[in-house]
Amino acid sequence: MTSESVRGSTFQAALREHAARTPERIALLNPAGEPWTYADLTSAVATALAALHEHGVAPGDPVALISRNSAECVAWWLAITTANVAVPLNPGHREDEFNFYFEDLGVRAVVSAGAPEADRVAARRQVPVMPVAAATPSGAVASATLHDSPRPESVAIVLHTSGTTSRPKIVPLTHANVFAACDQIRSTLGLTSDDRCVNVMPTFHIHGLSAVLSTLIAGGSVVCPPEFVAPEFFDLVREFQPTWYTAAPTIHQSVLESALKQPEQPPQHSFRFLRSASSSMPHALIRDLEELLGVPFIEAYGMTETAPIVSTNPLPPGVRKVGSVGRPAGCEVAILLDGEAVPSGEVGEIVVRGPNVMGGYANDPHVNEVQFVNGWFRTGDLGRLDEDGYLFVTGRLKEIINRGGEKIAPAEVDRALLSHPAVALAVTFPAPHPKLGEEIVALVVLKEGQEVSERDLQEHVAKTLADFKVPRRIFFADEIPQGSTGKLKRDTMAEKLGLTELFGKTELPTLHEFWLPRTPEEEMLAGIWEEVLHVERIGIHDDFFALGGDSVLAAQALVRANDALGTDFSFLDFFENPTIAQLSERGLESRPDTMRPPPVNPAPEGEPLPLSIGQHALWAMDLLNSDDGSYNVYRAVRLRGALNRTALFASLSELIQRHDSLRTTVSVLDGEPVRNIAPHARVHVPVVDVSQSPEATRETEALAFVENEARTPFDLVKGPLFRAHLVHLADDDHILLLTMHHLIMDGWSTGILFAELEVLYDAFANDRKSPLTPQPLRHADYAYWQRQRLSGELLETLNAYWKQRLPSSRPALRLPYDFERPAALQFTGSRIHFNFVGDLATRLKAVAREQDATFFMGLLAGFKALLM
C-alpha cells in the first residue's frame, strides 16, 4: 500500500493537498449515486460556500447541519467549518429539542435534508434554511476555496454532551483538536490511500465524523450509506469492498447476526480490521467477530470532549489485551485518586490532556473548574493502567446512561415523566443490557387516585424526547428508595430493586407478582413468546415489548399465535394487549364467527383460477405500460469454478416444474384476468459465449447483454414469464441470469428460488434425486382463498368503512419533489446487481443466503389485519 497522508492542522488544508496531488482519486461513494473524486469534493465545498454567502451567513456564525450520512453532508461540514462553526444535530430530534439546541447554540443558519420539525423551528426563528442536496460538484472549483483554510485555534464544531444535570453541556472543538484526533486515528490504524471506510455511524455523532475525516486525510475513500441496515450490510461490503469500519457495540452485534445468517463461512468481505470506540465492547462479541471474519478487532476509548480518541489497542503484530482499551493515542492519560496519581494497577479516575482535548465547556464555567485540574480533563470514568501502559476502564463516576453509545441525562427523562399530570415522583436510571450496555428504566410514583399505564407514559415521553431516550421499562411504586443521606443513587437503583438481570437474561425479575400460565392457550402463547424473544420463563403479566420485543418480533409472534390458536388477532390487538393475560382475555370469543378466516385449501378443480390482488394490480399496470420491462425481476450471479451445465439446467427445469407460478401466464375471461398454469415446462437456457472476445472487453460485453436482457419485456399472455441465460466468459467463469416478471416473483421469493437451486444442483451434480418434498399448496390456492375471503358481506363491510373514512371530496395532496416529472417514466435508477462467488463448492451457497423472514412475517400479519 502507498501512503499519501498530509501534514497540517486543518481538514481544508488536507483536502487542498489531495485535490492538487490526486484530483481523480475517489473520495466519497453514495450507494445510490455517482462516486465523488477529490476534485468533485472540492467543487461541492465551493458550491456550499457560495450558498452560505448568498444566504448572508457571517463568518463565525453557528450553522446547524441536520442530515443523515451522504457525500453532500461531508461537503457541507467542510464548507461550514471553513469560516463558520458546524452544529451537527440528529434528524430524529423532536421540535422542542431543536428549539432548545437552536437557542442554546445561537444557530444562525440551517442546512437540512428534509427535517420538517427543524424547518418549522427555523421558520419561527427566521433562520435561513439551505438544502443538503445543494452541495453538488459544479465542475469548477473556485480558486478562493482551495486557498482558504481556517486557523487551527478556531472552533470547528460544537456538540452537546449530557451532564449529571438536565442541561446538556456545550463542547467546542477546534480545528486543531479534531485534526489531531483524526490524524492519530489514521496513524494508529495505519490508514493509507488504499483504505476505504464504510461509515455506519451517523456523522452527527463524533464517532462517525472521525471515521470519515481520518480516512480522507489519509487520501482514502469513504462509503456513505444513509443509515445502517443490518440485512443489507454484506451486500454493501461486497459491492464497495471497504477495508474497515468503526461502530458502536450494537451495530457490531447486528453485523455478527447478519454474518451468521450467511451460509458461506466466513462471509465474503474485504476488511483488514474492525474497530469500536463508543462504549465498552463485550469480549465474547469481539471474539466471535474475529473468529468469523478472520480479521483483528481494535477496541478504542474516547469521548466527545477528546474528539473522540484517548487510547486504542494496536494492530497486529502489536499486543491487544483482553478487557483493555489499549495505550494512550496522541494524548497523555493518568489515573488520579483525590487529585494524586496512583501506582500502576490501582483504580482511580481517568484523566487526560493533549492536543485533541477541548479547552473547556462553553456554557458552564463552574463545571470547568471541577472538570479541569492542573491541565488534566477529568473524564468521570474509573480505570487503571497496567505496567505496560494499557488502560482498563472499570466503571464511571457520572450518572449518564450510555445506551449503545447514545448518552442520556436521566434528569432530562425525569422532567418529561413529571410533566404528565398523573405523575408525582419519577427517577430514571440504567439497567444492564447484553447488547446496548445499558438500557433506560424509570420508577414512578403516581399521584393519589390517579391511574396511568406504562405504555401511556412511554408515549407521553416520546412526544418531547427522541425515541432512544424513552424508558424501555417503567415501574410503579408507592415510594422511591433513597440513600442514607436522602439523595437518589441512580447507579445502584437497579440493584436495589432487583432489576440487574432485567434485559436478555433467563429469568426476568419484575416488580409485580410472577404468574405462570393458567390455561392451555396461555401456555401456548408463553411458548411462542419464549421462542421469538429467546427468553425463558415468561409470566402472563410480563409485557412483550419490555422483554425486548419490537414491531418486527411482534409480527412474528402475531402470525404464530394466530396460526397456533386459530385466532385472528390484529396488530392493534397485540399493541393494546401486550401481556399474555390481556391477549388471552381478549380472545377469540370477542369476535363473531364470520370474522374467522377459513383455512387455505387447494382450489377446486375446473374453476377459473384468479390472480391475487397484488398480481391483478401488476396485470393492470402492464396493460398501461408493457413495453419497457420496468416490472422485471432479475438476478445476475457470477459463477467461478468448474460448472456442471447438465446439473444446472436440470435444476432449473425442476424448479419450474415444482413452482406453478413459474409456469403461469394470464388470459382474460369475462373481462377479468385469470391465470393459466401449464402442466409441464422445461426451461431452455441459451448460452451466450463471449469467451472469444478480447479479455479486456469480455466484462463489458457480458454486462451489456445482461442489462439488455434483464430489461426485455414479457408478454403476459404468450409467456413464458421466466427466462434463464448463461453467459460464458471462460471455462471456469460464467454469469447465470434469471429474469422473471414481477407478477410471478418478488425479492423474498427469489431467496427461496436460489436456496432450492443450491439443493437441487448439489443433488443432480452427484447423481442423486431431488431431496425437496412436494408442496401441499400452490400460490394459485392462496389467490383463490384470498378472493373468496374478500367477497360478500366482508367486502361490503370493508367498502362501507373506507367510504366513511375517505369521503369523495378531498383536497389534493401536494408533495414536494426534487425534479420535474418527465412525460414518460424512464426507470433509470435501477441497475444490475451481481453476486461474485468463489469456487464451485460455495458459489451457489453464497447466493442462497438465508432469507430474513421477518419482513414477510410483518407483511403477512399486515394483510391478515386488513382482512379482519
Side-chain angles (χ1 to χ4, degrees), residues 126 283 369 502 580 749 784:
Q126 298 183 335
H283 174 64
E369 294 176 3
L502 179 60
I580 292 171
S749 301
Y784 184 87

Side-chain angles (χ1 to χ4, degrees), residues 377-712:
F377 170 69
R378 299 177 59 188
T379 66
D381 291 331
L382 295 172
R384 59 182 175 85
L385 287 167
D386 70 5
E387 62 276 9
D388 297 322
Y390 281 75
L391 178 63
F392 292 78
V393 181
T394 59
R396 55 213 289 178
L397 297 174
K398 300 177 182 179
E399 294 180 342
I400 297 306
I401 300 172
N402 188 348
R403 185 184 185 274
E406 295 285 2
K407 307 297 193 297
I408 299 99
E412 184 181 16
V413 184
D414 289 351
R415 210 168 51 244
L417 287 167
L418 289 168
S419 68
H420 192 284
V423 175
L425 299 172
V427 57
T428 307
F429 55 95
H433 192 285
K435 293 183 179 179
L436 300 173
E438 291 179 340
E439 185 56 276
I440 309 171
V441 180
L443 187 65
V444 166
V445 176
L446 297 179
K447 297 177 181 177
E448 187 173 354
Q450 295 290 321
E451 292 185 1
V452 65
S453 69
E454 179 182 32
R455 180 73 52 198
D456 289 339
L457 286 179
Q458 289 168 329
E459 291 175 354
H460 175 77
V461 173
K463 292 177 182 177
T464 57
L465 299 182
D467 292 340
F468 64 83
K469 298 179 182 179
V470 177
R472 196 56 178 271
R473 290 302 309 266
I474 300 176
F475 296 106
F476 299 89
D478 295 329
E479 61 180 9
I480 292 179
Q482 297 179 344
S484 57
T485 62
K487 295 182 179 180
L488 296 175
K489 294 287 188 179
R490 298 183 194 270
D491 55 343
T492 61
M493 190 68 69
E495 182 178 359
K496 284 179 177 290
L497 298 174
L499 303 177
T500 54
E501 295 185 345
L502 179 60
F503 297 99
K505 301 299 182 180
T506 57
E507 294 190 6
L508 296 167
T510 61
L511 295 184
H512 58 68
E513 185 176 356
F514 182 87
W515 286 74
L516 289 169
R518 301 161 296 186
T519 66
E521 290 77 12
E522 289 181 347
E523 288 183 0
M524 192 168 294
L525 285 173
I528 292 170
W529 286 23
E530 290 168 1
E531 183 178 353
V532 169
L533 296 171
H534 303 290
V535 171
E536 298 179 9
R537 195 173 179 264
I538 293 179
I540 63 173
H541 296 301
D542 290 327
D543 187 293
F544 180 88
F545 300 99
L547 299 178
D550 53 28
S551 58
V552 173
L553 295 176
Q556 296 185 41
L558 181 66
V559 171
R560 296 186 191 187
N562 283 336
D563 288 344
L565 301 178
T567 52
D568 193 23
F569 291 125
S570 68
F571 267 121
L572 184 61
D573 291 330
F574 201 93
F575 285 111
E576 289 183 345
N577 303 276
T579 71
I580 292 171
Q582 291 171 333
L583 200 61
S584 179
E585 290 171 5
R586 177 79 174 177
L588 186 62
E589 293 74 20
S590 63
R591 299 178 179 274
D593 291 342
T594 56
M595 301 300 283
R596 302 185 188 183
V600 180
N601 293 313
E605 294 186 7
E607 290 193 23
L609 296 174
L611 301 181
S612 69
I613 295 173
Q615 288 178 317
H616 191 285
L618 289 167
W619 171 79
M621 292 299 295
D622 187 78
L623 292 179
L624 299 174
N625 191 22
S626 61
D627 58 355
D628 64 0
S630 55
Y631 286 97
N632 288 6
V633 176
Y634 43 84
R635 180 67 64 86
V637 184
R638 192 69 170 266
L639 306 177
R640 297 190 188 275
L643 178 64
N644 186 330
R645 291 190 184 181
T646 301
L648 178 62
F649 297 164
S651 300
L652 291 170
S653 295
E654 180 68 18
L655 282 175
I656 291 179
Q657 193 59 40
R658 175 176 171 79
H659 294 287
D660 68 296
S661 291
L662 303 182
R663 293 178 276 113
T664 293
T665 55
V666 183
S667 61
V668 178
L669 179 65
D670 297 329
E672 290 294 324
V674 295
R675 73 176 69 216
N676 300 319
I677 303 175
H680 302 285
R682 184 175 181 85
V683 68
H684 172 59
V685 186
V687 177
V688 180
D689 193 346
V690 298
S691 62
Q692 302 306 312
S693 299
E695 187 173 355
T697 64
R698 288 179 199 170
E699 294 274 352
T700 304
E701 290 183 31
L703 180 59
F705 169 79
V706 168
E707 289 182 336
N708 181 68
E709 162 58 25
R711 289 177 171 82
T712 301

Side-chain angles (χ1 to χ4, degrees), residues 39 82 112 259 326 433 572 604 842:
T82 298
S112 170
H433 192 285
L572 184 61
T842 62

Side-chain angles (χ1 to χ4, degrees), residues 63 83 98 120 157 159 198 221 345 413 419 473 508 517 580 589 769:
V63 179
F98 280 123
R120 285 195 293 270
I157 182 173
L159 299 161
V198 54
S221 56
V413 184
S419 68
R473 290 302 309 266
L508 296 167
I580 292 171
E589 293 74 20
K769 294 182 178 180

